[in-house]
Amino acid sequence: MSVATVRWLATDRGGVAPAHGVSFGMPWPRGLYQPGQRFVIRGQEKEYPLDSRELAFWADGSLKWTAHSISGEFRYCDRYTIVGVSTTEEPSGIVVDASSPRLSVSTRSGLQLNFSAPGSSSIFDSLKLNGRTVCSGATVIASISKKDYYTVVKEVQVENITFSRALVKISGAVVSADSDEHLPFDTRVYLYSDSSSVKIMHSFVHDLDPQTPLTSLGLRFSVPLGATEFYNRHVRFGGSGGGILKEEVQGLSGLRHGPTDEHRIDQTAGKAVTITENEWKGSDLRRGVASIPAWDAYSLSQLSSDGFTLKKRTKAGCSWVKVTGGGRADGTAYVGSATSGGLAVGMADFWERYPTQLDMKDLTKDEGNLVVWFYSPLAEPLETAPYHDGLGLDTYAKQLEAMNVTYEDYEPGFGTANGIGRSNQVFIRPYLSTPSNQDLSAFSSLIRDPIRLVPTPEYMFSTGVFHGCWAPDFRCLGYEPPVKEREIERNLELLFKYYQGQVEQHRWYGFWDYGDVQHTYDPYRHAWRYDVGGFAWDNSELSTDLWLWLYYLHTGRADVFRMAEAMTRHTSEVDVYHSGRFRGFGTRHGAQHFSDSSKQVRISNVLYRRIFYYLTGDERVSDLLSELESCQNALLTLDSHRKVQQHAPVPDGFALANIGLDCGPLAAAWLTAWERRRGNWAQCRQLVGKLLDGLSRLTHGIGNNAILLNPQTGEIRECSPPTPAYTISHLSMLFGFPEIFTELLDYVKEEFPLEVEGFKKVWLSYSRAYNGGPDVQNEEFGFVFPPTATWRQSHSTLTALAAVSQNSTELANAAWTQFFGTDGYREDHDWSVVPAIAPEYFNTGEEASWVTTNETARYGVSAIVNLANIRQYL
């Protein structure tokens, strides 16, 4: 068995990496460790105790995934090993005091965070470092239609506590002066035992209608300044690439006369300055200092991905003075005094999620304020109205006809953003004295590229997690690949790098947008079809998320992880409804992330989020997985076939479901709930067995396509006429059905042996037949599949999986023939990428006129799954 090994995702962080707290996920092979197991982490002949949280279990009850946190003076190693032990010392690094209504958490590093009680208007009351209050409160602030809203805290709970990490979740909403409540949120606060930084994850649900738009949203931190002289109050901003702007509320540098050179040097270095009358030149000291403007407010606004402006003013009613500007701000700022320290704040993905803003105000008062705006108050209101007026499409017939033109599935009242969500991550760090530029630059680096530990691909593969869907590439495994395998790897690299470049070239950034990609390119306009209905934003269509995560597992590359994480953060929240009429559904691709009327579980699919969750133990994504444990109930609220298929009355308690587009996501949700042992996992376990058994009993198996499903009991029935007895759809297998069922069958084989055997019969029948040709289709099903049964390159994966199951060289060779020579990006495909140069191109960069995200995602998934299963037949 491979040694349980983790490494730093980014390898250029040097010895500073372990000094910050970090959490990571760890997979284990079936049967190795049982619940309650303790672990240590080893590196450079040193051993350290390791905390543990149990994320998932194999069907036999043994540990499948655990999550761990480290914090402290770990020796830096390129790699560490994780080992189970019978006992280990657990040093006390975190103390939680819950003896009063106001929860308090203290760490070994000297931090003490005092949380607010339920009913309060702030998320915490104070943050102390070594007994000194450096932050005197934090609160969520917002405006809706320019009306101010403030925090109301409803619940404060310790979500997790170990000797290395404490996690406190504050739940609440924002409320106006007239008690109008909106934007329900969960704010998670992470403290690590030996870290001086605190991480805050703010997640909210957008519950607004277009006529009452969001006009600002942020976190405000209060910083005590006391009676400190204005010239000893320091302001710092992160620029681009780690640069730091140094200023003071009352500057001494640059004056004609007055302070000495030593005063000027000390002030700009952040040291406390003491000025005496005999040192001051050119005027009376008191009158001279009074004649220097004191800057009460600063504001850095990033209103696009390419430009920020920094300005300041002395008081309300006076003009702002421009300080400077630049391209992409790091999103960090600091305010404090030379005598008592201060607070640094920073927002992750600051410029990528524009319009954002950092404000400082009340700098001439006893208590200053520092605001991190997730949505800038200087931006236009956040528009969520439909982008067209309906175009007269008031019947299904008209809507279907229009879909043939713009590829948009429109229906009045369905294009709503009410119920979608977004999370933003902030770091704060208290200082007892003004930090150096080097310290703040390092803080900016932490925010721009947070450190991560990850299992090595070789070890992870040896554990059997995500079974049958991936394998490490030849670089990880250290062998020389055959020519065709090297060509596939070259193509995978080209596709990833191209899309990574397209994000930047076409500025796919913004509050809602960042993390997503566009669906289809328009070679005539030399632009993506951003304004053509269903050809615009991708919204996970044909498993784009899965492509990126499988490619990360395959390569272990940091740049792939970052792009996949950004997509998961977007698609799991913005493209999915967390409350309201469409809760549990996601939205099909469209010109707005919420505009298409096709609301389906194929988009909210748990499969697309679970890899990131298990690699990180991320608690917000855990919430999102829990939301979808019962996503089958959403099928009772909306008939996804309503426009395209007539059907008999649906029996009470049943929903019309699609085998590929619905049952695949349901299987992913139920399997994930079962292995996590969360919520209604026992019911989900039974539903998995019912699903396998029910599908295996259908007359045409997977080919039935439409079924009647009872979401509560899992009972499956065949549909009565006029629903066709069978329908072969090219889409059925393109949203992760083969991948999740391959993993599921391996997971449940000892729990449901009869159901697995029965399902395999219909599954292998479909897998052999789809690309098998008329003779095989007639033999397996008694009819020939229609000409619309395309996407044969993607379906080569089914042939490959059948080859493994039957140990068939013939099927394995056929799978590669289908992959290389049917449709999609064939072996003879022209992979040319040309420069995009003015004046023919608006954005300079590259153009691959042949690219579509559907084909790219499908090529990526199929290539990686095929390499994992039939690599030896190349």
Side-chain angles (χ1 to χ4, degrees):
M1 184 181 68
S2 181
V3 177
T5 308
V6 294
R7 62 177 177 83
W8 298 105
L9 179 62
T11 58
D12 57 353
R13 305 302 285 271
V16 301
H20 300 287
V22 61
S23 300
F24 61 96
M26 198 68 188
W28 304 105
R30 192 190 316 250
L32 179 62
Y33 292 127
Q34 300 302 315
Q37 178 67 52
R38 295 185 175 186
F39 296 91
V40 295
I41 182 170
R42 294 172 178 167
Q44 287 191 353
E45 301 181 351
K46 293 283 288 183
E47 180 176 289
Y48 309 91
L50 193 62
D51 72 357
S52 182
R53 303 182 302 284
E54 295 169 350
L55 297 184
F57 306 83
W58 292 98
D60 65 3
S62 61
L63 293 178
K64 185 177 184 182
W65 284 94
T66 53
H68 309 277
S69 302
I70 63 170
S71 178
E73 296 304 319
F74 284 75
R75 287 189 182 180
Y76 180 84
C77 302
D78 290 333
R79 297 188 174 206
Y80 301 87
T81 57
I82 313 298
V83 181
V85 294
S86 56
T87 60
T88 182
E89 178 187 0
E90 296 188 352
S92 178
I94 302 281
V95 176
V96 176
D97 182 357
S99 59
S100 73
R102 284 178 162 78
L103 185 75
S104 177
V105 179
S106 302
T107 72
R108 189 164 49 219
S109 62
L111 294 180
Q112 181 182 342
L113 194 53
N114 299 310
F115 291 90
S116 305
S120 302
S121 58
S122 59
I123 58 175
F124 63 78
D125 292 333
S126 66
L127 172 63
K128 297 181 179 181
L129 178 58
N130 294 344
R132 183 185 298 173
T133 300
V134 179
C135 177
S136 48
T139 187
V140 180
I141 56 175
S143 65
I144 299 169
S145 297
K146 299 294 184 180
K147 183 169 69 173
D148 290 336
Y149 283 70
Y150 301 96
T151 296
V152 56
V153 172
K154 298 187 176 182
E155 184 180 15
V156 180
Q157 61 173 315
V158 178
E159 197 167 31
N160 177 253
I161 175 71
T162 71
F163 60 84
S164 289
R165 191 192 77 156
L167 168 57
V168 177
K169 184 172 77 170
I170 304 100
S171 301
V174 295
V175 62
S176 65
D178 53 2
S179 301
D180 189 23
E181 186 175 294
H182 283 293
L183 307 179
F185 66 78
D186 288 326
T187 298
R188 286 183 164 89
V189 181
Y190 298 77
L191 296 96
Y192 289 85
S193 60
D194 293 273
S195 175
S196 53
S197 300
V198 177
K199 185 175 82 170
I200 301 173
M201 177 73 81
H202 176 78
S203 308
F204 79 98
V205 173
H206 179 271
D207 62 347
L208 305 175
D209 293 322
Q211 61 270 24
T212 54
L214 181 72
T215 44
S216 68
L217 176 66
L219 277 176
R220 184 177 66 204
F221 301 91
S222 299
V223 181
L225 300 172
T228 305
E229 302 89 349
F230 293 165
Y231 52 76
N232 277 323
R233 300 183 182 193
H234 299 288
V235 169
R236 303 289 187 264
F237 281 95
S240 300
I244 303 297
L245 176 82
K246 299 189 297 183
E247 292 219 349
E248 285 67 46
V249 171
Q250 197 172 41
L252 301 179
S253 180
L255 299 177
R256 184 180 184 188
H257 297 294
T260 65
D261 287 346
E262 185 178 358
H263 293 148
R264 301 169 201 257
I265 293 169
D266 286 348
Q267 188 193 49
T268 55
K271 298 178 181 179
V273 173
T274 301
I275 306 175
T276 61
E277 186 74 47
N278 63 337
E279 293 175 309
W280 187 266
K281 306 299 182 183
S283 72
D284 172 79
L285 173 60
R286 184 178 59 81
R287 293 195 301 272
V289 171
S291 68
I292 305 171
W295 303 98
D296 185 68
Y298 283 75
S299 182
L300 187 154
S301 54
Q302 181 90 45
L303 300 183
S304 79
S305 60
D306 292 276
F308 70 85
T309 299
L310 179 58
K311 61 185 181 179
K312 64 184 180 180
R313 71 180 180 186
T314 55
K315 62 174 60 178
C318 294
S319 292
W320 290 94
V321 173
K322 180 179 177 181
V323 178
T324 188
R328 294 168 167 176
D330 287 342
T332 55
Y334 167 87
V335 66
S337 73
T339 54
S340 58
L343 187 72
V345 303
M347 175 182 167
D349 301 323
F350 182 76
W351 59 263
E352 290 93 337
R353 290 173 176 244
Y354 78 91
T356 50
Q357 191 166 314
L358 296 171
D359 280 354
M360 299 177 186
K361 64 178 183 176
D362 296 333
L363 302 183
T364 58
K365 297 180 174 60
D366 290 347
E367 184 178 77
N369 287 295
L370 221 173
V371 183
V372 181
W373 292 106
F374 307 137
Y375 195 85
S376 166
L378 296 181
E380 295 180 355
L382 181 61
E383 293 185 332
T384 59
Y387 75 100
H388 63 67
D389 65 0
L391 307 173
L393 305 176
D394 52 6
T395 67
Y396 286 172
K398 292 178 182 178
Q399 292 159 20
L400 290 172
E401 184 179 38
M403 187 176 175
N404 286 330
V405 178
T406 65
Y407 203 29
E408 176 177 61
D409 188 0
Y410 173 79
E411 189 169 339
F414 277 63
T416 176
N418 194 321
I420 68 175
R422 199 56 155 146
S423 291
N424 290 282
Q425 187 169 267
V426 171
F427 291 83
I428 60 174
R429 179 173 179 176
Y431 289 90
L432 295 179
S433 60
T434 304
S436 67
N437 284 3
Q438 289 73 24
D439 284 342
L440 281 177
S441 186
F443 179 65
S444 290
S445 178
L446 167 69
I447 293 162
R448 289 297 305 160
D449 186 13
I451 56 173
R452 287 196 182 279
L453 277 173
V454 291
T456 61
E458 312 93 275
Y459 167 69
M460 192 161 22
F461 182 69
S462 75
T463 67
V465 295
F466 313 124
H467 171 82
C469 301
W470 73 285
D473 72 4
F474 69 91
R475 300 173 189 85
C476 296
L477 297 178
Y479 66 88
E480 184 61 30
V483 172
K484 285 196 172 183
E485 181 177 346
R486 190 175 286 278
E487 289 175 353
I488 291 172
E489 296 289 358
R490 181 202 64 202
N491 297 339
L492 289 171
E493 163 78 3
L494 182 151
L495 290 170
F496 172 75
K497 282 294 187 183
Y498 185 73
Y499 272 81
Q500 187 183 44
Q502 291 296 286
V503 172
E504 170 64 11
Q505 182 175 329
H506 296 281
R507 303 301 193 264
W508 292 338
Y509 304 118
F511 182 81
W512 291 135
D513 299 338
Y514 178 57
D516 207 355
V517 297
Q518 295 269 310
H519 184 282
T520 304
Y521 192 71
D522 183 350
Y524 300 103
R525 289 191 291 175
H526 300 300
W528 290 82
R529 302 186 201 178
Y530 68 93
D531 58 349
V532 186
F535 293 115
W537 290 113
D538 186 63
N539 286 32
S540 302
E541 183 70 1
L542 303 199
S543 304
T544 313
D545 315 56
L546 186 60
W547 157 49
L548 290 178
W549 280 119
L550 292 183
Y551 192 47
Y552 166 72
L553 296 176
H554 186 60
T555 62
R557 284 168 43 177
D559 55 347
V560 181
F561 186 101
R562 293 185 191 105
M563 186 170 177
E565 178 184 6
M567 182 169 287
T568 294
R569 296 285 188 201
H570 166 88
T571 58
S572 64
E573 293 198 299
V574 178
D575 298 345
V576 175
Y577 290 96
H578 312 281
S579 67
R581 175 186 179 190
F582 300 122
R583 177 182 168 88
F585 287 123
T587 300
R588 177 181 176 268
H589 43 104
Q592 295 166 294
H593 297 289
F594 45 83
S595 58
D596 199 271
S597 72
S598 181
K599 312 296 184 184
Q600 294 188 315
V601 294
R602 77 186 206 196
I603 305 302
S604 57
N605 200 339
V606 163
L607 176 64
Y608 301 151
R609 337 293 180 202
R610 63 198 293 271
I611 296 176
F612 175 67
Y613 169 69
Y614 287 132
L615 289 171
T616 63
D618 185 272
E619 285 80 11
R620 174 55 182 161
V621 176
S622 176
D623 285 351
L624 302 174
L625 299 182
S626 296
E627 283 182 10
L628 295 168
E629 286 175 5
S630 301
C631 60
Q632 71 272 14
N633 293 325
L635 301 178
L636 293 169
T637 67
L638 185 66
D639 176 12
S640 61
H641 302 76
R642 63 192 180 280
K643 296 185 184 182
V644 295
Q645 190 176 96
Q646 291 184 340
H647 55 77
V650 176
D652 288 343
F654 282 77
L656 193 63
N658 181 287
I659 291 178
L661 305 187
D662 294 329
C663 292
L666 296 186
W670 296 339
L671 171 63
T672 305
W674 176 5
E675 64 186 0
R676 294 175 72 209
R677 303 297 195 271
R678 297 283 190 93
N680 59 346
W681 70 268
Q683 182 194 18
C684 291
R685 176 186 178 278
Q686 295 304 316
L687 290 172
V688 166
K690 288 280 193 178
L691 180 65
L692 295 174
D693 183 61
L695 294 179
S696 69
R697 296 177 185 276
L698 296 172
T699 303
H700 299 287
I702 306 300
N704 269 59
N705 195 50
I707 59 171
L708 293 171
L709 171 71
N710 186 309
Q712 294 303 311
T713 66
E715 180 186 352
I716 290 176
R717 299 179 186 175
E718 301 207 22
C719 296
S720 303
T723 301
Y726 60 84
T727 302
I728 305 301
S729 170
H730 64 284
L731 287 179
S732 291
M733 297 295 111
L734 305 188
F735 288 85
F737 188 99
E739 291 75 28
I740 195 60
F741 272 89
T742 298
E743 182 179 351
L744 184 150
L745 293 174
D746 176 71
Y747 186 87
V748 309
K749 58 190 176 185
E750 295 178 3
E751 292 284 309
F752 296 115
L754 296 179
E755 290 85 347
V756 167
E757 206 54 41
F759 179 79
K760 274 188 172 181
K761 291 179 182 178
V762 298
W763 172 234
L764 290 174
S765 177
Y766 190 85
S767 297
R768 290 188 297 261
Y770 193 95
N771 275 347
D775 290 344
V776 176
Q777 292 161 3
N778 263 317
E779 180 181 349
E780 298 283 0
F781 284 88
F783 59 85
V784 175
F785 288 11
T788 53
T790 52
W791 292 88
R792 298 184 63 199
Q793 181 180 70
S794 296
H795 285 80
S796 69
T797 294
L798 273 64
T799 311
L801 294 171
V804 171
S805 183
Q806 298 180 204
N807 195 24
S808 169
T809 299
E810 180 183 358
L811 285 175
N813 289 329
W816 282 123
T817 299
Q818 295 157 15
F819 179 81
F820 287 117
T822 52
D823 52 20
Y825 297 151
R826 296 158 42 105
E827 189 173 25
D828 59 359
H829 179 71
D830 181 0
W831 294 87
S832 297
V833 179
V834 301
I837 303 171
E840 294 302 318
Y841 296 84
F842 184 78
N843 295 316
T844 58
E846 295 181 324
E847 180 188 61
S849 60
W850 44 267
V851 81
T852 73
T853 306
N854 275 357
E855 295 284 9
T856 296
R858 293 315 313 167
Y859 182 92
V861 171
S862 299
I864 295 166
V865 174
N866 286 355
L867 286 172
N869 288 282
I870 55 171
R871 186 194 318 239
Q872 65 270 32
Y873 295 98
L874 276 173

